[in-house]
Amino acid sequence: MQLGFVRVIAVVVGTFVAAGNGMAADLLLNYGGQCTNYRQSVMPLMPVEEIRQSVAANLESAKAGMDDPSVLTSRQPAFIWAMEARWACSTALGYLNGGYVDEESVQKCDCFHQQYVSFR
C-alpha cells in the first residue's frame, strides 16, 4: 500500500512539474525531445492484428515497468516514459478494439515505449 501511495505522489508531482514547464514527456528538451518524431513509426503500416499484438505487448510492458522498483527509483526518466506509453497504448488499443486504427496513438505508443525501454 505504501508503494502505491508513493507512486501516486510521484505522478502528481511529475504532472505539475511538466505542466509548469509547459512540456510533455515527448518534448523534454534535456533528453533531446526523443519523440518529437513519433510520426516516423511504421507500426501503422503493419497488418491490424500485428498492430494490436504490438500495442498490447507495449502496454503490458509499460504497466509492468510502472510497478518495477528499479524503474520507480531510477534517476532516469523511465517511469515518465512508461506512464506516457501506458496512456498512448491504452488509447491505441481502445481505438483498435472499436475497429479503428488511430495512427497517431499507435505511433506515440511505439515511440514512447521505445523511449521507456531505452531508459530502463
Side-chain angles (χ1 to χ4, degrees):
M1 185 69 169
Q2 183 71 5
L3 185 60
F5 177 74
V6 170
R7 186 177 322 129
V8 169
I9 296 300
V11 169
V12 170
V13 169
T15 301
F16 283 112
V17 169
N21 291 334
M23 292 184 240
D26 61 335
L27 298 177
L28 286 173
L29 299 177
N30 58 332
Y31 296 112
Q34 296 96 333
C35 279
T36 56
N37 61 349
Y38 69 89
R39 294 185 191 276
Q40 294 177 358
S41 169
V42 296
M43 192 183 286
L45 303 176
M46 297 167 30
V48 174
E49 193 51 40
E50 286 182 37
I51 295 172
R52 185 182 321 279
Q53 290 172 359
S54 295
V55 166
N58 288 355
L59 176 59
E60 290 307 312
S61 172
K63 284 180 176 179
M66 292 180 66
D67 289 330
D68 185 339
S70 68
V71 173
L72 291 168
T73 59
S74 174
R75 293 182 153 218
Q76 298 294 326
F79 183 80
I80 293 171
W81 288 110
M83 281 191 328
E84 292 290 338
R86 184 190 67 183
W87 169 81
C89 295
S90 293
T91 301
L93 197 55
Y95 279 117
L96 286 164
N97 289 340
Y100 176 73
V101 177
D102 179 57
E103 287 187 22
E104 185 171 344
S105 62
V106 169
Q107 290 168 326
K108 286 183 177 182
C109 170
D110 184 26
C111 188
F112 293 162
H113 185 263
Q114 287 179 27
Q115 293 310 312
Y116 158 64
V117 170
S118 74
F119 283 109
R120 282 223 26 152

